Amino acid sequence: MEWFRWDLLTQFWSTPELVANFLIFVNIFGAFLLGLLVGYERYYQGRAAGMRTYGLVCMASAAVTAICGYSGFWFGAETNLPGVEPTRVIQGIVTGIGFLGAGVILREGMNITGLSTAASIWCSSIIGIMMGTGLYIAATLLACLSALSMTLIPIIERHLPSHKALVVVLHFKRNVMPEEQMLREAISRCGYDIVGDTISIAMKEHYIEWHFVVAAMIKSSDVTFERFSHELAHLDCIDTF
């Protein structure tokens, strides 16, 4: 049995194969840029999913779609694949990895963490699929782009205008009935504003507890968490926060 065929190996690096890899990567890179654009809007608003998450998911989705369009170049353009339907394999992998990625997303109150990690896990599965189909160059470039997005995008985000967000829990003193307008005025003096759809109120024994998210109105060195905490400490109606 001939287990090694040189002609089959060279097919993975033929000119049509290289062109197909390049075109696939162009689609991936374009999707990555558009994903960053959409993700920046979420990052600007102080949401949990930001530029990295949107960029990774968008380019991974483009990669899956693109390689299906270039299925004629899979496995070095080898067409003798009896009984094999790779698209069903890809569908199963993407679905399974989606459940795995969901396992690393954690929510504690209004804080959500692990979204970028989940997106990177899903993107890694697409890299594995592309390597398995023989699209080596596109897979390598996708891996490099994923690594760069995880390391460089946070640095870029720090230099872009944004509204940094903070989850706040207020415990008011016994029998105190807080007023939203009073709180908004105190918070606005620190350069923050309450995100309107995040307020939740709970009654615990004889005191009221408020949960909400605040977002910085401007990106400035004067808008700090320390200043915000000092402002809350001077409010007589608040017991702890």
Side-chain angles (χ1 to χ4, degrees), residues 182-217:
M182 179 270 295
L183 283 175
R184 287 187 179 274
E185 291 176 357
I187 293 172
S188 65
R189 289 195 292 268
C190 306
Y192 288 89
D193 189 20
I194 298 177
V195 181
D197 59 349
T198 62
I199 298 178
S200 65
I201 302 174
M203 187 72 177
K204 295 188 176 181
E205 295 181 356
H206 298 287
Y207 67 89
I208 295 177
E209 182 178 282
W210 281 37
H211 298 247
F212 54 86
V213 175
V214 296
M217 293 182 286

Side-chain angles (χ1 to χ4, degrees), residues 45-124:
Q45 299 295 339
R47 303 299 182 175
M51 295 175 66
R52 285 184 298 174
T53 304
Y54 277 80
L56 289 168
V57 171
C58 192
M59 71 178 179
S61 301
V64 174
T65 306
I67 64 175
C68 290
Y70 288 88
S71 58
F73 295 93
W74 291 4
F75 312 110
E78 178 65 49
T79 57
N80 298 322
L81 299 171
V84 177
E85 193 171 350
T87 53
R88 289 190 177 182
V89 177
I90 292 175
Q91 181 181 7
I93 293 172
V94 171
T95 302
I97 296 298
F99 285 103
L100 177 63
V104 301
I105 300 175
L106 301 176
R107 177 171 182 175
E108 183 179 355
M110 296 182 183
N111 282 322
I112 300 176
T113 59
L115 287 173
S116 294
T117 303
S120 65
I121 291 173
W122 193 65
C123 191
S124 296

